[in-house]
Amino acid sequence: MTADLFTAYKYFGFSAGLNFTFPIYDGGQRSLENEKFNLSLRSNELKSRAFFLETNLQRLILEDQIRAQDTLIGEYRKQLETIGELLDFQKQQLRQGNLKLTDLLVTLNTLNTTSLSMHQAEIARLQGVIELNYLNQ
């Protein structure tokens, strides 16, 4: 057994080595990866540009809608003034007996309908302003 201890070095040891790999041909993988990366960058740029353009288009549409509502509200106010004058005239005619009550009621109905339409236009305008403010944040 003592002889085995002296010859044990024959059974154990170590080795060192160096492994070096150098690809001769990678099948174009590097160029494909570079192209894929460049395409993803370009795609992100285009998506960002499309979002910017879409947001600007929404702003322009909302600004046009707000201007249209302003014009419509102005026209409704003029109509309400005219209907108010007509109503005063018809009240006077009704007192004199020259007008039927149904004609006055039709004018009152027109006044209420026009007033309702003006309020709806004001609400639509305010909704447009809110949407525009949201986009401008």
Side-chain angles (χ1 to χ4, degrees), residues 38-96:
N38 289 335
L39 286 175
S40 68
L41 283 178
R42 181 73 176 141
S43 175
N44 287 340
E45 290 171 2
L46 291 176
K47 285 179 185 176
S48 174
R49 177 90 173 129
F51 178 76
F52 176 75
L53 291 175
E54 183 178 338
T55 305
N56 279 343
L57 180 63
Q58 287 176 342
R59 282 187 188 115
L60 292 173
I61 289 171
L62 286 171
E63 288 170 357
D64 285 345
Q65 288 175 350
I66 291 169
R67 278 193 291 274
Q69 293 297 332
D70 285 339
T71 304
L72 190 61
I73 290 169
E75 290 177 11
Y76 281 135
R77 285 195 175 125
K78 288 178 187 176
Q79 286 180 1
L80 286 173
E81 288 176 14
T82 305
I83 292 171
E85 293 171 2
L86 178 63
L87 195 58
D88 291 338
F89 177 73
Q90 285 183 342
K91 284 179 187 177
Q92 185 182 28
Q93 292 294 317
L94 185 66
R95 280 188 217 115
Q96 293 175 358

